[in-house]
Amino acid sequence: MRNNVLRRLPVERAIGQSYGGGRHRLGITFKTRDLVVLGLGAMIGAGIFSISGVQAATMAGPAVIVSFVIAGVVCLLAAMSYAELSSIVPVAGSAYSFTYIAFGEIWGWLVGWAVILELLLAASVVARAWSLFATQTLTDFGVPIPAALAQVVGHGEGFDVFALLILLLLVLMLATGGRIGLRSLWFMVLAKVVVIGLVIGVGLWFFKPGNLTPFIPPAEITAGASEHTVLDTLFGGPTHIFGLWGIFAAAPTIVFAYIGFDLITTTAEETADAPRQVPRGVLISLLLTTVLYLGVAVTMVGMISYRNLDPAKPPLAAAFHAVGVGAMSNVVDIGAVLGLTTVMLALLISVTRVIFSMGRDGLLPSGLAVLSRFQVPSRATLVAGTAAILMSQILNVLTLEQLVVVGTLLAFLFVCASVLALRGSRPDLRRPFRVPAVPMTPVLAILATGWLMLNLKVRTWEYFGIWMAAGLLLYVVYGRRHSTLRAFLASPAPPPSMPVQPVQPSPAVYASPPPPPGQIPGPFYGRQGNLPPLRYLSADDEFRPNPPEPGGRPRQ
């Protein structure tokens, strides 16, 4: 096991031609604007119409606005680490691949296993929420639901037809071609942003500053051991809601709403000029999402007092009914259905790429890394989709929301630490994007992430420990033995190659004087007979590789 901990994936193998065909194994699909839309699709919808109201009513009051800022700052610190690493290693694995390179195979596996849990469970949670909102939307528009169907739609647990059908539709769409899913994502994200703008614009007309007082409600004690956080257990005493502790306790759940910027990095292998475009997509989408979430949160707590919010009902719809604009609840319903659909689509795209990458490394069955005739990892898509469908139908996933957060925060922790590790071990790597103020920025991100993890419930950590123990057992039984890196390192070294004789330029073609002493001929481009003037490089010149061709593929 010790060798596995130390067995790291070399950066050159991760991005080189020897690694599954290089980073162009998956076809180029995304540009910067597509990545921004993917991030908005993943982040806007999971909580913009619900989490702010629920956390205001049960945990933080109007100060939920501060909770959103805290969660956004933590995510921004982590996002810069994701941006730097994706500019170095533009492959499909994201946090899994970064950890594999920085810390070793077993740590990469554990992070990848946690990310798989995060994405599959998130897709299941959102599918259930989608069913609830779809049922409410049909009711609000006066569409009757047959009695037989009413028993199997719009419920928090048990068999649900709507959750099953939406997941099945999205899985089949992704398994038969990436461009179809991308076009659908563009349409739904644009429609969703229009709805959010309408909600904010109308809601601000009914803003009452009095609803923001007291901004930080007095702390209250709540009963129930299942509600204890790790901090409560460490320091003892009862569990508090509201007050300062309530602000920080709401932040980890709000992080669930921001899940999405990290998903962008899973598509780096399919992005043209990924070292530059992926960091841009990560940071732009996160900043836009933070602004939109804050706009909706301020609008909602300004329209209605947090005391009048019922967490069991859609908060925004209740707020518009309270101010006499009930028709806006229909707009909210439409926006929620569109938003949650894009979240599921982005989550399924991302979990498929992580499974594909782990299968390519041999830690999961290699058949999951096979591309179909549609040039997409259809097998990985079908496996991930089937798992998400089963989880949504068997588990009471709406009670496991924090389990999604702990997987996300663990990935954040290792990604930030990977920046520090690679800055020390591989300072020679080219970094188109660099995290500012290293090591301070990654260290702050690690501390903030650790603080959020301590604010999660004890029961969440118990469930997470079971999942990680199962993953470790799977690695010992299967992944450790089938690792392609293990086979590569165990293979005999190739025989030394013959020394390459320098090619002397032909005087007939290159009518240039011989190079001065201590200098060598420089690189030249073009076809024979139409070459630019020969120039010589001195020892002081900086070496630069051939510029890329249009489309991002390096020149050979």
Side-chain angles (χ1 to χ4, degrees):
M1 185 67 70
R2 182 174 179 273
N3 290 336
N4 294 335
V5 174
L6 300 176
R7 189 165 67 203
R8 301 178 184 179
L9 179 66
V11 175
E12 292 77 11
R13 179 171 169 80
I15 62 177
Q17 290 296 320
S18 62
Y19 182 67
R23 79 174 196 84
H24 291 291
R25 171 75 178 272
L26 293 171
I28 298 299
T29 302
F30 299 96
K31 299 179 181 179
T32 301
R33 58 179 179 271
D34 300 319
L35 298 178
V36 173
V37 168
L38 179 65
L40 295 177
M43 290 183 278
I44 299 177
I48 199 164
F49 297 112
S50 59
I51 284 183
S52 58
V54 171
Q55 294 304 309
T58 63
M59 195 62 66
V64 72
I65 298 171
V66 180
S67 300
F68 271 96
V69 174
I70 293 172
V73 170
V74 173
C75 289
L76 180 60
L77 293 173
M80 288 190 286
S81 294
Y82 273 92
E84 175 171 320
L85 294 177
S86 63
S87 72
I88 300 171
V89 192
V91 294
S94 186
Y96 152 73
S97 295
F98 305 153
T99 307
Y100 198 168
I101 291 169
F103 295 107
E105 183 173 279
I106 190 172
W107 303 111
W109 161 265
L110 291 175
V111 170
W113 188 246
V115 170
I116 289 176
L117 171 67
E118 165 207 336
L119 299 177
L120 288 180
L121 188 56
S124 305
V125 170
V126 176
R128 277 290 183 177
W130 189 92
S131 178
L132 294 173
F133 275 104
T135 304
Q136 183 64 43
T137 301
L138 292 175
T139 302
D140 290 344
F141 279 92
V143 178
I145 299 177
L149 186 61
Q151 303 301 318
V152 290
V153 298
H155 298 286
E157 56 183 316
F159 178 71
D160 191 287
V161 173
F162 280 177
L164 171 66
L165 291 179
I166 187 60
L167 283 174
L168 187 61
L169 175 64
L170 296 178
V171 168
L172 293 178
M173 180 188 300
L174 294 177
T176 54
R179 297 301 304 181
I180 298 176
L182 183 58
R183 294 191 196 99
S184 303
L185 186 66
W186 263 93
F187 170 77
M188 289 186 287
V189 167
L190 291 177
K192 179 171 58 176
V193 171
V194 171
V195 169
I196 293 171
L198 185 61
V199 166
I200 295 175
V202 174
L204 288 178
W205 281 100
F206 301 94
F207 184 90
K208 296 181 180 179
N211 289 329
L212 300 182
T213 55
F215 188 72
I216 303 178
E220 300 177 10
I221 297 176
T222 182
S226 63
E227 299 299 318
H228 278 44
T229 67
V230 176
L231 282 178
D232 295 327
T233 304
L234 291 176
F235 294 102
T239 302
H240 291 81
I241 58 175
F242 301 118
L244 291 177
W245 284 103
I247 295 174
F248 286 102
T253 303
I254 292 173
V255 169
F256 176 76
Y258 289 123
I259 291 175
F261 73 84
D262 56 324
L263 308 187
I264 294 174
T265 60
T266 65
T267 63
E269 196 165 319
E270 302 163 83
T271 303
D273 194 15
R276 290 179 174 81
Q277 294 191 12
V278 171
R280 294 172 188 167
V282 168
L283 298 177
I284 293 173
S285 63
L286 178 59
L287 292 174
L288 290 176
T289 299
T290 303
V291 171
L292 292 175
Y293 266 104
L294 284 173
V296 172
V298 170
T299 300
M300 190 200 64
V301 296
M303 281 196 298
I304 185 173
S305 172
Y306 74 96
R307 303 180 187 89
N308 298 328
L309 287 172
D310 183 356
K313 298 180 180 179
L316 265 178
F320 278 115
H321 278 291
V323 298
V325 195
M328 281 299 297
S329 63
N330 295 336
V331 178
V332 172
D333 290 338
I334 295 174
V337 171
L338 287 174
L340 295 172
T341 305
T342 63
V343 172
M344 281 185 287
L345 190 59
L347 289 168
L348 291 172
I349 290 173
S350 300
V351 71
T352 296
R353 272 54 182 176
V354 174
I355 292 175
F356 169 85
S357 185
M358 297 177 75
R360 184 167 57 183
D361 291 333
L363 303 183
L364 290 176
S366 58
L368 297 174
V370 174
L371 299 183
S372 68
R373 62 187 180 89
F374 302 106
Q375 294 304 303
V376 294
S378 297
R379 291 185 185 178
T381 302
L382 294 175
V383 168
T386 301
I389 289 172
L390 291 176
M391 292 172 72
S392 70
Q393 302 300 313
I394 296 174
L395 302 177
N396 185 8
V397 292
L398 293 180
T399 65
L400 301 175
E401 221 174 65
Q402 281 201 353
L403 196 56
V404 177
V405 178
V406 69
T408 305
L409 295 179
L410 182 70
F412 286 4
L413 203 66
F414 271 91
V415 168
C416 296
S418 296
V419 170
L420 297 175
L422 289 178
R423 285 288 185 100
S425 62
R426 295 298 305 271
D428 58 305
L429 294 174
R430 181 172 175 267
R431 293 169 168 84
F433 178 88
R434 299 177 66 90
V435 176
V438 172
M440 184 179 68
T441 300
V443 169
L444 286 176
I446 291 172
L447 293 176
T449 301
W451 174 263
L452 292 179
M453 295 174 82
L454 292 177
N455 277 280
L456 296 173
K457 298 174 184 176
V458 174
R459 180 169 296 182
T460 298
W461 280 103
E462 293 173 350
Y463 291 154
F464 185 67
I466 295 172
W467 174 262
M468 297 305 287
L472 185 60
L473 178 62
L474 179 60
Y475 172 76
V476 172
V477 172
Y478 182 87
R480 179 173 60 92
R481 300 181 179 182
H482 294 82
S483 168
T484 57
L485 182 59
R486 178 189 181 187
F488 173 77
L489 296 176
S491 60
S497 58
M498 296 295 293
V500 179
Q501 298 295 329
V503 178
Q504 298 297 329
S506 171
V509 178
Y510 308 112
S512 302
Q519 295 185 339
I520 58 174
F524 27 77
Y525 307 97
R527 298 181 179 179
Q528 186 172 3
N530 187 25
L531 293 170
L534 183 63
R535 140 175 134 73
Y536 298 102
L537 295 177
S538 68
D540 296 330
D541 284 333
E542 179 184 0
F543 172 74
R544 297 184 182 275
N546 294 353
E549 294 176 341
R553 186 181 298 276
R555 294 183 184 270
Q556 302 296 324

